[in-house]
Amino acid sequence: MTKFPSLVKVNKTLRHPDIPPIMPPAPYEEVVGYKRLDAQYDNALRGPRKYTREAVLYDLYREKNNVDLWRELKRVQPRPNPRPNPRAPEYSPGPYHYRRITEPKERDLNIPALRDKVVQLLIHQELQNIYRPVFVKGSYACQYGRGPIRAALDVQHDMRVARMLYGDDAAVIKIDARKFFYSIDRLILKRILKKRFKKLKKKHPELYEDLLRFYRLLCKVIDSSPEGETGIPLGNVSSQDFANIYMNELDQYCVRFLGVKFFRRYNDDIVIIAPNKETAREWLAKIKQFLAERLHLETNKKTKIFFVRQGVNAFGYKIKATHMTVRTESKRREKRRIRAMIRKLKAGKVSQKYVIQAAHSWLGFARWASAYNLAKKIFGPYRFIKTEGALPYGAISRNRQARRILQQRYNSPPAHKAVA
């Protein structure tokens, strides 16, 4: 074991090459440095977003706009200036763009302007370095390599282990907060941030002024919310970061004080596996009390207790210990969506390429579940949509040898062509 320590490190880095290492807190001038700002500006304009009117007008004077934004960020001081200079103002977020969506459910979105989105991407990058060492293993959302699919697969693994340990008595607690983003108390959020920054100050006393400046920048973004006295806006880049930080208090309570072994959380969707229903009821009562007293949150009607053998609806799937299926709502929604897109295609409102891309986005999600026959049934009438992609169904969830066999079978020519 002592002969190859470097080989172990290399293997760990190769396993997740896209996940950057955790860095110590950076000075404020480096956090809002021009190189980082310019890189996050390119990140904000990925895909078709660069063709919007706002993005085109901003990009006409890209360097000037980015330099002005960089100077405003540099002027943020550790404490408010009683006599601000109107000619050299500090950064302050601008107004939001309001938008309402109806799929998958009706929500009100408040989308920041492009310059504010760049600032929030800078904030996200630094918050990852500050809070990744603090988050528990079962925390997901807005983190590198920790999305809803990873959460669903980990829940399935927990269910299998729980059935081996506790048998058929194992119970699942499904917790969902009521109007989560709109109910977040900003004062509590600021206290939680302040608590973390005080600990960083003890470890890095030389960064005291820099941490104060970054904290003031975070408070500016939090207070810019148009939601009223409570809540943070859906559509903000930094809202998921703040939501993760807010719910981390519950994560620590469940893992450290309640001693929960199988805990998974994606935003406000929480799945906990208990040894039996009696323990599950006790944990759920304590969690509800903690949410009400410490975080000012309530649970909704989706909060229930099941046996593990019944499975659980979470993270977009119906998860069981043996397999995963796509949720019934997702099936119905995709059937309605593909029919609507085909009508638009026949009317000439959208292109065939657009329909294929939209179908593949859902297939990429359904591919992780037992949904091969379902996909064939939904997209069978439309021959230009191929349900098979770069890998056949089932190849991504098998071991390396099985994937290689399936890949060779998929790429090899048919027998009659090979003979010819």
Side-chain angles (χ1 to χ4, degrees):
M1 293 296 291
T2 57
K3 291 183 179 180
F4 308 103
S6 60
L7 184 61
V8 176
K9 293 180 181 178
V10 169
N11 286 339
K12 285 184 178 179
T13 55
L14 288 176
R15 193 176 299 172
H16 301 289
D18 296 330
I19 300 178
I22 300 174
M23 304 297 292
Y28 180 79
E29 297 285 341
E30 185 180 335
V31 172
V32 300
Y34 186 79
K35 286 186 177 180
R36 282 196 185 186
L37 190 146
D38 199 49
Q40 295 303 336
Y41 171 75
D42 292 332
N43 191 21
L45 294 183
R46 289 184 305 171
R49 289 174 287 191
K50 58 187 164 188
Y51 302 117
T52 60
R53 178 181 176 83
E54 181 187 14
V56 171
L57 292 175
Y58 190 98
D59 199 61
L60 287 174
Y61 302 96
R62 168 179 177 158
E63 291 187 3
K64 180 184 181 302
N65 290 330
N66 282 348
V67 168
D68 290 344
L69 179 59
W70 170 60
R71 287 173 177 168
E72 290 180 18
L73 289 168
K74 285 182 66 178
R75 294 191 193 110
V76 175
Q77 297 302 316
R79 297 162 192 85
N81 188 358
R83 295 180 179 178
N85 185 2
R87 295 185 178 179
E90 287 185 355
Y91 167 77
S92 59
Y96 288 81
H97 307 303
Y98 175 79
R99 182 184 172 191
R100 175 168 288 182
I101 60 171
T102 56
E103 291 289 343
K105 62 175 71 171
E106 189 172 308
R107 296 181 188 273
D108 295 329
L109 301 184
N110 288 288
I111 303 168
L114 179 59
R115 71 194 308 267
D116 297 326
K117 187 174 182 180
V118 174
V119 175
Q120 291 175 23
L121 287 170
L122 287 171
I123 289 172
H124 166 74
Q125 185 178 2
E126 187 61 19
L127 282 176
Q128 288 291 307
N129 290 330
I130 292 175
Y131 272 95
R132 272 167 68 193
V134 178
F135 290 143
V136 300
K137 187 180 178 182
S139 173
Y140 300 82
C142 208
Q143 298 183 60
Y144 301 110
R146 302 183 71 77
I149 295 173
R150 182 74 267 162
L153 292 174
D154 288 346
V155 166
Q156 188 181 47
H157 175 267
D158 290 347
M159 294 172 79
R160 291 170 178 172
V161 175
R163 288 188 68 178
M164 288 191 293
L165 293 176
Y166 311 128
D168 290 337
D169 292 336
V172 178
I173 312 172
K174 174 68 169 64
I175 303 173
D176 199 348
R178 181 176 174 272
K179 294 185 177 179
F180 174 57
F181 281 93
Y182 307 114
S183 303
I184 289 177
D185 193 322
R186 293 183 210 150
L187 291 177
I188 295 176
L189 176 60
K190 289 177 184 177
R191 286 188 209 130
I192 294 170
L193 289 167
K194 193 180 292 185
K195 180 173 67 173
R196 176 62 178 157
F197 277 62
K198 282 183 179 179
K199 292 183 179 179
L200 290 174
K201 172 196 163 186
K202 293 180 181 178
K203 292 183 179 180
H204 308 278
E206 71 281 359
L207 296 177
Y208 177 59
E209 295 292 317
D210 296 286
L211 292 172
L212 279 178
R213 294 173 73 182
F214 187 59
Y215 176 73
R216 271 206 70 212
L217 179 62
L218 293 177
C219 290
K220 284 176 177 285
V221 175
I222 294 170
D223 292 333
S224 69
S225 173
E227 297 296 334
E229 295 182 359
T230 60
I232 55 178
L234 274 170
N236 242 8
V237 179
S238 54
S239 287
Q240 284 205 19
D241 284 312
F242 292 143
N244 241 3
I245 293 166
Y246 197 78
M247 292 298 285
N248 181 58
E249 300 294 302
L250 178 65
D251 300 349
Q252 302 293 338
Y253 175 74
C254 291
V255 173
R256 295 190 180 194
F257 293 94
L258 296 183
V260 177
K261 292 183 179 179
F262 305 111
F263 176 89
R264 307 290 172 183
R265 178 184 63 82
Y266 185 91
N267 275 337
D268 62 320
D269 292 341
I270 303 169
V271 177
I272 297 173
I273 301 180
N276 48 61
K277 273 202 170 182
E278 290 74 18
T279 306
R281 292 191 191 100
E282 181 185 347
W283 284 354
L284 182 57
K286 291 181 179 179
I287 288 170
K288 285 184 176 180
Q289 184 180 1
F290 181 89
L291 286 173
E293 294 178 357
R294 298 287 295 274
L295 300 179
H296 296 173
L297 294 175
E298 297 177 358
T299 56
N300 60 18
K301 60 183 181 181
K302 296 179 184 177
T303 302
K304 294 179 180 178
I305 298 175
F306 313 90
F307 282 113
V308 166
R309 62 176 179 270
Q310 295 176 258
V312 61
N313 276 328
F315 316 131
Y317 299 97
K318 174 73 173 179
I319 308 171
K320 293 189 176 182
T322 52
H323 64 285
M324 290 194 305
T325 57
V326 179
R327 296 176 66 177
T328 306
E329 295 175 7
S330 180
K331 298 176 191 176
R332 292 172 180 168
R333 193 184 310 125
E334 184 60 24
K335 289 176 183 178
R336 290 195 304 267
R337 191 174 72 133
I338 190 64
R339 285 197 293 264
M341 285 192 295
I342 293 300
R343 286 196 298 268
K344 291 181 180 179
L345 177 64
K346 290 178 179 178
K349 295 180 180 179
V350 297
S351 64
Q352 184 172 308
K353 182 180 178 182
Y354 173 82
V355 177
I356 292 173
Q357 287 178 343
H360 283 183
S361 68
W362 186 84
L363 284 169
F365 161 79
R367 209 176 261 282
W368 295 90
S370 301
Y372 178 76
N373 291 330
L374 172 68
K376 284 286 188 183
K377 183 178 179 181
I378 293 175
F379 301 109
Y382 319 112
R383 295 186 178 181
F384 62 92
I385 300 175
K386 295 182 179 179
T387 54
E388 293 287 2
L391 286 174
Y393 262 82
I396 51 179
S397 59
R398 299 174 186 269
N399 58 36
R400 187 178 300 174
Q401 185 178 1
R403 285 202 305 269
R404 190 181 297 115
I405 293 170
L406 285 169
Q407 183 70 33
Q408 290 172 356
R409 187 185 305 167
Y410 183 71
N411 291 332
S412 60
H416 64 278
K417 291 185 178 180
V419 172

